[in-house]
Every structure is written in C-alpha cells, then in structure tokens.
Amino acid sequence: MPTIPVTVLGPAESGKTVYLASLFRRLAIPRPDLGFHVQLPPDQSTRLNRIYQQITSPDAWPDPQRRNEIWEWEFTCSVRTARNETYSPFSITYLDYSGEHLTEPDGRVEAGNRVLTRIQESKFLLVLLDGVKVLRFLDGDLTLMEDLVAVFSHMLKSRGIVHFVITKWDVLVAEGHTVQGVKDRLMRHPDFRDTVETQLRSSDSAKGVRFIPVSSVGLDFATLDPDGMTMVKKGGFPTPLHVEIPFMAVLMDLFENQLREMERHVPPESQQIQRGNQRLAWTRMVKDRVPLVRTLLNTVATRSPVMRLVRDHMADAFLQFVETQVTAYGDRVEQDIEQLRDRMLRATSEKEALAGLVALFHAKLAEFEAEHPGSRFIREESSWTTA
C-alpha cells in the first residue's frame, strides 16, 4: 500500500492540529456523502480523539504544538467496491508540528530540520491561511503577509502540488466575505500574487491551484471575541465545514495517474498467465510420458546388455528423479499462475475502487466550485485567470 506524504504549512496558531482532528472525525465514520472513510493506528486515533474532545469542551481550545513535538498522522483510506468488498488502496501521512519552525527556524533543532526536509520531499502541500489574520488583513493589518512570506520561502523549495486552505472560515462568513472577494484582495498584494503565479508555472500544478475555505468547527460553534483575536465557543456541537475538500483535491491527480498506470500493467500480467499455462501444459505432458519412457527402456534393454544394465540399476532412480522434478516445476508454475490471477483480481478491485473515488471526488469538487466561485486558480495559455 503506497504512502503519500502531505505536509500542512502554517505559522503558529493557524489551526493545523484542530484541522487534522476535525478531518479525522469527519472521515473516521463511513458517511453516505463521502464514499470512503479513514483509519489511523490506535495510538494516533486516541490522541486525535482527545484533541477533538478538547475542541468540543466548553472551556478552552487545544494547547498549541510545542516546538520539540512532531506528530506524523497516518490516514489509511478505505473504500467499498460494488461487490461490497472493502479495499485500502493507499495511506496519507500528515506532519503536525509547531509553526515556529517556519517563521522562526532554528537550524540547531533536530525537529526543525526534520520539518524542512519533509517539506522538500512532500508530493502535496496545504498552505494554511489563518482566517482571523485574513480578516485583519482585509482591514489593513499586514501581519498575515509577514507570516506567509516565511512560509512561502519554504514552500517554493518543494516540487509538490500546492493548495491554499483558509481556516476559521466561519469568522469571514460572519462578516459577509466570499471566497472570490477574499482571493481578489489577497491577489492585490504583490508577494501573494507572485507566489501564486510562480506555483502555477510549475508543471505539477498544470491543473490549477485551489483556494479552499474550511471551518474545523462549523459556522455556529464559535464566534470572534470583541478583542478581534480570540475565538469564543457558543456551545453545541462542531459541524466541520469543507474539511475533506483539501483531502480530495490533493488526491485527484494521483488517482488519475494510478489508474493510467494500472491500464498499462494489466495486459502484461494476462500474457504472463497465458505463458504460465503453456509451461504447465508442457510439464503435464512430460509427466504423462514418464511411463512411456519406462516401457521404451524395457524394450531397448532386451536388445542391449548396456541398456539392460541401465534398466536394472538406474532406471527407477532416474525416472523418479525426473518425475519429482517435473512435479515440483509444475507446482511452482501453478503457484505463479494463481498469484498472477490474485494480483489481477486485486488490481480489478483497486481500479474499481479508485475509479469510483475519482468520479465521486470530481462531483464533490464540481459542487464545491459551484458553491464557491473563484475557488481555483488556473492557467490558460499565457494569461492568468481565476475560475
């Protein structure tokens, strides 16, 4: 099962840990509108559940990640095929760490070096924009952009596909902001605009860069305190909003590439099974003819003293050796054929499962884009446009 490294980039208090806890709670239970679910190792599942319990408690929010703490969460994705078989085609690892490693790096800290190495190796990057800081940016406070410049410098060292995620979207919705409006304002800042355009020039981002609003707690669970910085809980239960959309977005290209790879590999396996069946037929023919060899040897022995000597002293041992070797070879060929058939059946199930996910994700992302116009940056010919 392949493991796909995804790194969440965000300065301190941008909501990385809360987002991952909400993502786990949203995806841990099979839901009709998703078509898949995830599992984590028991210790990781327990820890994320505890973090989520802190989110739902009326008292305080989860403590920020300490600088020396790094967690790597492994989400194993499981889907059901039309034959009601559960299949787990891949897992995703998310790295969780203190945002200070990005904004205040310390080369002497081993944890920080691990974070920076992981960023460079990741196939997918999710850049978190703190919704509270975005709101203040819209009012003229440039703290958000100062944090992002440090994040962008690390992001551009990676060749991975990048998507931007606005956390705490409920804060912006409460003020009447839209995805299109927020994105347009951010694109007026030269540092943000130039970074997006640089990313769009990357061949890995040929299909565009998404701009995804999420709320880890939903629209009615918390509100912004009059101080403009603190989130205050209102009570009730969190209803995470759009937290699965970044998960779906980063996997679309991967799924499509994997399906194409499967198409290329199935025919050779079919040919190998055909060749295996031919070898099996040959071994059975040889085995069937061993008694005929014995009869022929008896006939020749009546006319030749040398062959009589061979028959009397070596024939049984020789023929038994031949028969044993042919049988063993035939058994190996049968095992090879069975393994190839099992692999093809698994590939069929995998292809069916992944094809179903691709169709589902296409539909969900199209529905999301219709609900939030302007949620994707795309490149058309030589001009930069938004969709």
Short mmCIF file of all heavy atoms in Angstrom, two decimals, residues 29-78:
data_model
loop_
_atom_site.label_atom_id
_atom_site.label_comp_id
_atom_site.label_asym_id
_atom_site.label_seq_id
_atom_site.Cartn_x
_atom_site.Cartn_y
_atom_site.Cartn_z
N ILE A 29 -15.77 7.99 10.24
CA ILE A 29 -17.04 7.27 10.17
C ILE A 29 -17.49 7.21 8.71
O ILE A 29 -17.52 8.24 8.03
CB ILE A 29 -18.11 7.99 11.01
CG1 ILE A 29 -17.65 8.05 12.47
CG2 ILE A 29 -19.46 7.30 10.88
CD1 ILE A 29 -18.55 8.89 13.35
N PRO A 30 -17.81 6.01 8.18
CA PRO A 30 -18.33 5.94 6.81
C PRO A 30 -19.60 6.77 6.67
O PRO A 30 -20.54 6.61 7.45
CB PRO A 30 -18.62 4.44 6.61
CG PRO A 30 -17.75 3.75 7.62
CD PRO A 30 -17.68 4.67 8.80
N ARG A 31 -19.60 7.68 5.71
CA ARG A 31 -20.75 8.57 5.52
C ARG A 31 -21.23 8.47 4.07
O ARG A 31 -20.42 8.42 3.15
CB ARG A 31 -20.37 10.01 5.86
CG ARG A 31 -19.84 10.18 7.29
CD ARG A 31 -19.50 11.63 7.60
NE ARG A 31 -18.76 11.75 8.85
CZ ARG A 31 -19.32 11.84 10.06
NH1 ARG A 31 -20.64 11.81 10.15
NH2 ARG A 31 -18.58 11.94 11.15
N PRO A 32 -22.55 8.45 3.87
CA PRO A 32 -23.09 8.27 2.51
C PRO A 32 -22.61 9.32 1.52
O PRO A 32 -22.47 9.04 0.33
CB PRO A 32 -24.61 8.37 2.73
CG PRO A 32 -24.83 8.04 4.16
CD PRO A 32 -23.61 8.55 4.89
N ASP A 33 -22.34 10.55 1.98
CA ASP A 33 -21.96 11.61 1.05
C ASP A 33 -20.48 11.61 0.71
O ASP A 33 -20.03 12.40 -0.11
CB ASP A 33 -22.34 12.98 1.63
CG ASP A 33 -21.62 13.28 2.93
OD1 ASP A 33 -21.39 12.33 3.70
OD2 ASP A 33 -21.29 14.45 3.17
N LEU A 34 -19.69 10.71 1.35
CA LEU A 34 -18.24 10.69 1.10
C LEU A 34 -17.81 9.48 0.27
O LEU A 34 -16.97 9.59 -0.61
CB LEU A 34 -17.48 10.70 2.42
CG LEU A 34 -17.58 11.98 3.25
CD1 LEU A 34 -16.77 11.83 4.52
CD2 LEU A 34 -17.08 13.17 2.44
N GLY A 35 -18.35 8.30 0.56
CA GLY A 35 -17.99 7.10 -0.20
C GLY A 35 -16.70 6.46 0.24
O GLY A 35 -16.26 5.47 -0.35
N PHE A 36 -16.06 6.99 1.27
CA PHE A 36 -14.83 6.40 1.79
C PHE A 36 -14.69 6.80 3.25
O PHE A 36 -15.40 7.69 3.75
CB PHE A 36 -13.61 6.86 0.99
CG PHE A 36 -13.24 8.30 1.22
CD1 PHE A 36 -12.21 8.65 2.07
CD2 PHE A 36 -13.94 9.32 0.57
CE1 PHE A 36 -11.88 9.98 2.29
CE2 PHE A 36 -13.61 10.65 0.78
CZ PHE A 36 -12.58 10.98 1.64
N HIS A 37 -13.80 6.14 3.96
CA HIS A 37 -13.50 6.52 5.33
C HIS A 37 -12.03 6.26 5.60
O HIS A 37 -11.35 5.64 4.78
CB HIS A 37 -14.39 5.77 6.33
CG HIS A 37 -14.17 4.29 6.34
ND1 HIS A 37 -14.71 3.44 5.37
CD2 HIS A 37 -13.45 3.48 7.17
CE1 HIS A 37 -14.34 2.20 5.62
NE2 HIS A 37 -13.58 2.19 6.70
N VAL A 38 -11.54 6.75 6.72
CA VAL A 38 -10.12 6.58 7.05
C VAL A 38 -9.97 5.91 8.40
O VAL A 38 -10.87 5.95 9.25
CB VAL A 38 -9.36 7.93 7.05
CG1 VAL A 38 -9.44 8.60 5.69
CG2 VAL A 38 -9.87 8.84 8.16
N GLN A 39 -8.82 5.29 8.57
CA GLN A 39 -8.44 4.69 9.85
C GLN A 39 -7.04 5.15 10.20
O GLN A 39 -6.21 5.39 9.32
CB GLN A 39 -8.49 3.17 9.76
CG GLN A 39 -9.89 2.61 9.51
CD GLN A 39 -9.86 1.10 9.30
OE1 GLN A 39 -9.06 0.59 8.54
NE2 GLN A 39 -10.75 0.40 9.99
N LEU A 40 -6.76 5.26 11.50
CA LEU A 40 -5.43 5.60 12.00
C LEU A 40 -4.96 4.50 12.94
O LEU A 40 -5.80 3.76 13.50
CB LEU A 40 -5.44 6.93 12.74
CG LEU A 40 -5.22 8.20 11.91
CD1 LEU A 40 -6.47 8.56 11.15
CD2 LEU A 40 -4.81 9.37 12.81
N PRO A 41 -3.66 4.36 13.15
CA PRO A 41 -3.19 3.45 14.19
C PRO A 41 -3.84 3.80 15.52
O PRO A 41 -4.15 4.98 15.77
CB PRO A 41 -1.67 3.70 14.22
CG PRO A 41 -1.35 4.21 12.85
CD PRO A 41 -2.55 5.01 12.43
N PRO A 42 -4.06 2.82 16.40
CA PRO A 42 -4.82 3.06 17.64
C PRO A 42 -4.30 4.22 18.47
O PRO A 42 -5.10 5.03 18.98
CB PRO A 42 -4.69 1.73 18.39
CG PRO A 42 -4.50 0.71 17.32
CD PRO A 42 -3.71 1.39 16.25
N ASP A 43 -2.98 4.35 18.64
CA ASP A 43 -2.47 5.42 19.48
C ASP A 43 -2.74 6.80 18.86
O ASP A 43 -3.07 7.76 19.57
CB ASP A 43 -0.97 5.23 19.73
CG ASP A 43 -0.15 5.27 18.46
OD1 ASP A 43 -0.65 4.78 17.42
OD2 ASP A 43 0.99 5.78 18.47
N GLN A 44 -2.64 6.89 17.52
CA GLN A 44 -2.91 8.17 16.86
C GLN A 44 -4.39 8.50 16.90
O GLN A 44 -4.78 9.66 17.11
CB GLN A 44 -2.41 8.11 15.41
CG GLN A 44 -0.91 7.94 15.28
CD GLN A 44 -0.45 8.03 13.83
OE1 GLN A 44 -1.20 8.43 12.95
NE2 GLN A 44 0.79 7.66 13.60
N SER A 45 -5.22 7.48 16.70
CA SER A 45 -6.67 7.68 16.76
C SER A 45 -7.08 8.19 18.13
O SER A 45 -7.88 9.14 18.25
CB SER A 45 -7.38 6.37 16.43
OG SER A 45 -8.77 6.50 16.57
N THR A 46 -6.51 7.59 19.18
CA THR A 46 -6.83 8.01 20.54
C THR A 46 -6.41 9.46 20.78
O THR A 46 -7.16 10.25 21.36
CB THR A 46 -6.12 7.09 21.56
OG1 THR A 46 -6.58 5.75 21.37
CG2 THR A 46 -6.42 7.53 22.98
N ARG A 47 -5.22 9.82 20.31
CA ARG A 47 -4.74 11.19 20.54
C ARG A 47 -5.60 12.22 19.81
O ARG A 47 -5.96 13.26 20.37
CB ARG A 47 -3.28 11.30 20.09
CG ARG A 47 -2.68 12.69 20.36
CD ARG A 47 -1.19 12.71 20.08
NE ARG A 47 -0.64 14.06 20.20
CZ ARG A 47 -0.29 14.65 21.33
NH1 ARG A 47 -0.43 13.99 22.47
NH2 ARG A 47 0.21 15.87 21.35
N LEU A 48 -5.95 11.94 18.55
CA LEU A 48 -6.78 12.89 17.80
C LEU A 48 -8.17 12.99 18.41
O LEU A 48 -8.78 14.06 18.41
CB LEU A 48 -6.85 12.49 16.33
CG LEU A 48 -5.67 12.91 15.45
CD1 LEU A 48 -5.90 12.51 14.00
CD2 LEU A 48 -5.39 14.40 15.54
N ASN A 49 -8.69 11.88 18.89
CA ASN A 49 -10.00 11.93 19.56
C ASN A 49 -9.93 12.81 20.81
O ASN A 49 -10.87 13.55 21.11
CB ASN A 49 -10.47 10.53 19.93
CG ASN A 49 -11.28 9.88 18.81
OD1 ASN A 49 -12.05 10.56 18.14
ND2 ASN A 49 -11.11 8.59 18.61
N ARG A 50 -8.85 12.72 21.56
CA ARG A 50 -8.70 13.56 22.75
C ARG A 50 -8.62 15.04 22.37
O ARG A 50 -9.19 15.90 23.06
CB ARG A 50 -7.45 13.14 23.53
CG ARG A 50 -7.63 11.82 24.28
CD ARG A 50 -6.34 11.40 24.96
NE ARG A 50 -6.52 10.15 25.68
CZ ARG A 50 -5.51 9.39 26.14
NH1 ARG A 50 -4.26 9.78 25.93
NH2 ARG A 50 -5.76 8.28 26.79
N ILE A 51 -7.90 15.32 21.27
CA ILE A 51 -7.83 16.71 20.81
C ILE A 51 -9.22 17.19 20.42
O ILE A 51 -9.62 18.32 20.74
CB ILE A 51 -6.84 16.83 19.63
CG1 ILE A 51 -5.41 16.56 20.11
CG2 ILE A 51 -6.93 18.22 18.99
CD1 ILE A 51 -4.40 16.48 18.98
N TYR A 52 -9.97 16.33 19.75
CA TYR A 52 -11.32 16.71 19.33
C TYR A 52 -12.23 16.94 20.54
O TYR A 52 -13.08 17.83 20.53
CB TYR A 52 -11.91 15.65 18.42
CG TYR A 52 -13.14 16.12 17.66
CD1 TYR A 52 -13.01 16.93 16.54
CD2 TYR A 52 -14.42 15.77 18.08
CE1 TYR A 52 -14.12 17.39 15.86
CE2 TYR A 52 -15.53 16.22 17.41
CZ TYR A 52 -15.38 17.03 16.29
OH TYR A 52 -16.48 17.48 15.62
N GLN A 53 -12.04 16.13 21.59
CA GLN A 53 -12.81 16.33 22.82
C GLN A 53 -12.49 17.69 23.44
O GLN A 53 -13.38 18.36 23.99
CB GLN A 53 -12.51 15.21 23.81
CG GLN A 53 -13.10 13.87 23.42
CD GLN A 53 -12.58 12.73 24.28
OE1 GLN A 53 -11.88 12.94 25.27
NE2 GLN A 53 -12.92 11.50 23.90
N GLN A 54 -11.23 18.13 23.34
CA GLN A 54 -10.88 19.46 23.82
C GLN A 54 -11.57 20.55 23.00
O GLN A 54 -11.98 21.58 23.51
CB GLN A 54 -9.36 19.65 23.77
CG GLN A 54 -8.59 18.82 24.78
CD GLN A 54 -7.09 19.04 24.64
OE1 GLN A 54 -6.50 18.81 23.58
NE2 GLN A 54 -6.47 19.48 25.72
N ILE A 55 -11.68 20.28 21.69
CA ILE A 55 -12.37 21.24 20.82
C ILE A 55 -13.83 21.39 21.24
O ILE A 55 -14.38 22.50 21.30
CB ILE A 55 -12.29 20.79 19.34
CG1 ILE A 55 -10.83 20.79 18.86
CG2 ILE A 55 -13.14 21.69 18.45
CD1 ILE A 55 -10.65 20.18 17.50
N THR A 56 -14.48 20.27 21.56
CA THR A 56 -15.91 20.30 21.88
C THR A 56 -16.19 20.72 23.31
O THR A 56 -17.33 21.06 23.64
CB THR A 56 -16.53 18.91 21.65
OG1 THR A 56 -15.87 17.95 22.50
CG2 THR A 56 -16.39 18.48 20.20
N SER A 57 -15.17 20.72 24.17
CA SER A 57 -15.39 21.10 25.56
C SER A 57 -15.72 22.59 25.65
O SER A 57 -15.28 23.37 24.81
CB SER A 57 -14.15 20.79 26.40
OG SER A 57 -13.11 21.69 26.08
N PRO A 58 -16.46 22.99 26.68
CA PRO A 58 -16.86 24.40 26.78
C PRO A 58 -15.77 25.32 27.31
O PRO A 58 -15.93 26.53 27.31
CB PRO A 58 -18.04 24.35 27.77
CG PRO A 58 -17.76 23.15 28.62
CD PRO A 58 -17.09 22.15 27.72
N ASP A 59 -14.65 24.74 27.74
CA ASP A 59 -13.66 25.54 28.47
C ASP A 59 -12.65 26.23 27.56
O ASP A 59 -12.67 27.45 27.38
CB ASP A 59 -12.92 24.65 29.48
CG ASP A 59 -13.89 23.99 30.46
OD1 ASP A 59 -14.79 24.70 30.94
OD2 ASP A 59 -13.74 22.78 30.70
N ALA A 60 -11.72 25.43 26.98
CA ALA A 60 -10.60 26.04 26.24
C ALA A 60 -10.33 25.27 24.96
O ALA A 60 -10.87 24.19 24.73
CB ALA A 60 -9.35 26.06 27.12
N TRP A 61 -9.47 25.84 24.15
CA TRP A 61 -9.05 25.19 22.91
C TRP A 61 -7.82 24.33 23.19
O TRP A 61 -7.15 24.50 24.22
CB TRP A 61 -8.71 26.24 21.86
CG TRP A 61 -9.87 27.10 21.48
CD1 TRP A 61 -10.17 28.34 21.98
CD2 TRP A 61 -10.91 26.78 20.56
NE1 TRP A 61 -11.33 28.81 21.42
CE2 TRP A 61 -11.81 27.88 20.54
CE3 TRP A 61 -11.17 25.68 19.74
CZ2 TRP A 61 -12.94 27.91 19.74
CZ3 TRP A 61 -12.30 25.70 18.93
CH2 TRP A 61 -13.17 26.80 18.93
N PRO A 62 -7.50 23.38 22.29
CA PRO A 62 -6.30 22.55 22.49
C PRO A 62 -5.05 23.41 22.60
O PRO A 62 -4.94 24.48 21.97
CB PRO A 62 -6.27 21.68 21.23
CG PRO A 62 -7.68 21.64 20.75
CD PRO A 62 -8.26 22.98 21.10
N ASP A 63 -4.10 22.96 23.41
CA ASP A 63 -2.85 23.69 23.56
C ASP A 63 -2.09 23.71 22.24
O ASP A 63 -2.14 22.73 21.47
CB ASP A 63 -1.97 23.03 24.63
CG ASP A 63 -2.58 23.12 26.02
OD1 ASP A 63 -3.29 24.12 26.26
OD2 ASP A 63 -2.34 22.22 26.83
N PRO A 64 -1.38 24.78 21.93
CA PRO A 64 -0.58 24.81 20.70
C PRO A 64 0.54 23.80 20.76
O PRO A 64 1.00 23.39 21.84
CB PRO A 64 -0.03 26.25 20.67
CG PRO A 64 -0.10 26.72 22.09
CD PRO A 64 -1.27 26.03 22.71
N GLN A 65 0.96 23.35 19.58
CA GLN A 65 2.03 22.36 19.49
C GLN A 65 3.33 22.96 20.03
O GLN A 65 3.71 24.08 19.69
CB GLN A 65 2.24 21.95 18.02
CG GLN A 65 3.03 20.69 17.83
CD GLN A 65 2.12 19.48 17.78
OE1 GLN A 65 0.98 19.54 18.19
NE2 GLN A 65 2.65 18.37 17.28
N ARG A 66 4.01 22.19 20.90
CA ARG A 66 5.30 22.65 21.42
C ARG A 66 6.38 22.49 20.36
O ARG A 66 6.30 21.61 19.50
CB ARG A 66 5.66 21.89 22.69
CG ARG A 66 4.81 22.28 23.89
CD ARG A 66 5.42 21.78 25.18
NE ARG A 66 5.36 20.33 25.28
CZ ARG A 66 4.36 19.67 25.86
NH1 ARG A 66 3.35 20.33 26.39
NH2 ARG A 66 4.39 18.36 25.91
N ARG A 67 7.39 23.32 20.44
CA ARG A 67 8.42 23.37 19.40
C ARG A 67 9.13 22.03 19.20
O ARG A 67 9.51 21.69 18.08
CB ARG A 67 9.44 24.46 19.75
CG ARG A 67 10.36 24.84 18.59
CD ARG A 67 11.32 25.94 18.99
NE ARG A 67 12.14 26.33 17.87
CZ ARG A 67 11.93 27.38 17.10
NH1 ARG A 67 10.89 28.15 17.32
NH2 ARG A 67 12.74 27.67 16.10
N ASN A 68 9.30 21.26 20.28
CA ASN A 68 10.03 20.00 20.16
C ASN A 68 9.12 18.82 19.84
O ASN A 68 9.57 17.68 19.79
CB ASN A 68 10.81 19.72 21.45
CG ASN A 68 9.89 19.55 22.65
OD1 ASN A 68 8.74 19.96 22.60
ND2 ASN A 68 10.41 18.95 23.71
N GLU A 69 7.83 19.08 19.64
CA GLU A 69 6.88 18.00 19.34
C GLU A 69 6.61 17.92 17.84
O GLU A 69 6.32 18.93 17.21
CB GLU A 69 5.55 18.23 20.06
CG GLU A 69 5.58 17.91 21.53
CD GLU A 69 4.20 18.04 22.15
OE1 GLU A 69 3.37 18.83 21.63
OE2 GLU A 69 3.94 17.37 23.15
N ILE A 70 6.70 16.71 17.32
CA ILE A 70 6.30 16.46 15.92
C ILE A 70 5.46 15.19 15.90
O ILE A 70 5.86 14.17 16.46
CB ILE A 70 7.52 16.29 15.01
CG1 ILE A 70 8.24 17.63 14.83
CG2 ILE A 70 7.11 15.76 13.64
CD1 ILE A 70 9.38 17.58 13.85
N TRP A 71 4.32 15.29 15.28
CA TRP A 71 3.46 14.11 15.11
C TRP A 71 3.26 13.86 13.62
O TRP A 71 3.05 14.79 12.85
CB TRP A 71 2.10 14.34 15.78
CG TRP A 71 2.13 14.06 17.24
CD1 TRP A 71 2.53 14.91 18.23
CD2 TRP A 71 1.76 12.84 17.88
NE1 TRP A 71 2.42 14.30 19.46
CE2 TRP A 71 1.96 13.03 19.27
CE3 TRP A 71 1.29 11.61 17.43
CZ2 TRP A 71 1.69 12.02 20.21
CZ3 TRP A 71 1.02 10.62 18.36
CH2 TRP A 71 1.21 10.83 19.73
N GLU A 72 3.31 12.59 13.27
CA GLU A 72 3.02 12.20 11.88
C GLU A 72 1.79 11.31 11.90
O GLU A 72 1.84 10.18 12.39
CB GLU A 72 4.21 11.48 11.25
CG GLU A 72 4.02 11.22 9.76
CD GLU A 72 5.31 10.84 9.07
OE1 GLU A 72 6.19 10.28 9.75
OE2 GLU A 72 5.43 11.10 7.87
N TRP A 73 0.69 11.84 11.41
CA TRP A 73 -0.57 11.12 11.42
C TRP A 73 -0.71 10.31 10.13
O TRP A 73 -0.53 10.84 9.03
CB TRP A 73 -1.74 12.10 11.53
CG TRP A 73 -1.60 13.10 12.62
CD1 TRP A 73 -1.26 14.41 12.49
CD2 TRP A 73 -1.78 12.89 14.02
NE1 TRP A 73 -1.23 15.03 13.72
CE2 TRP A 73 -1.55 14.12 14.69
CE3 TRP A 73 -2.13 11.77 14.79
CZ2 TRP A 73 -1.65 14.27 16.06
CZ3 TRP A 73 -2.23 11.93 16.17
CH2 TRP A 73 -1.99 13.15 16.79
N GLU A 74 -1.05 9.03 10.26
CA GLU A 74 -1.17 8.16 9.08
C GLU A 74 -2.64 7.79 8.86
O GLU A 74 -3.22 6.99 9.58
CB GLU A 74 -0.34 6.89 9.26
CG GLU A 74 -0.36 6.00 8.03
CD GLU A 74 0.57 4.81 8.13
OE1 GLU A 74 1.30 4.72 9.15
OE2 GLU A 74 0.57 3.97 7.21
N PHE A 75 -3.23 8.40 7.85
CA PHE A 75 -4.62 8.16 7.48
C PHE A 75 -4.67 7.07 6.41
O PHE A 75 -4.23 7.30 5.28
CB PHE A 75 -5.26 9.44 6.92
CG PHE A 75 -5.49 10.53 7.93
CD1 PHE A 75 -4.43 11.22 8.50
CD2 PHE A 75 -6.77 10.88 8.29
CE1 PHE A 75 -4.64 12.23 9.42
CE2 PHE A 75 -7.00 11.91 9.21
CZ PHE A 75 -5.93 12.58 9.78
N THR A 76 -5.20 5.91 6.73
CA THR A 76 -5.39 4.85 5.74
C THR A 76 -6.79 4.97 5.17
O THR A 76 -7.78 4.91 5.91
CB THR A 76 -5.20 3.46 6.36
OG1 THR A 76 -3.85 3.34 6.82
CG2 THR A 76 -5.46 2.36 5.33
N CYS A 77 -6.87 5.14 3.86
CA CYS A 77 -8.15 5.36 3.19
C CYS A 77 -8.75 4.03 2.77
O CYS A 77 -8.07 3.21 2.13
CB CYS A 77 -7.96 6.26 1.97
SG CYS A 77 -9.50 6.65 1.12
N SER A 78 -10.02 3.79 3.12
CA SER A 78 -10.70 2.54 2.77
C SER A 78 -11.98 2.86 1.99
O SER A 78 -12.70 3.80 2.33
CB SER A 78 -11.05 1.74 4.02
OG SER A 78 -9.88 1.37 4.73
#
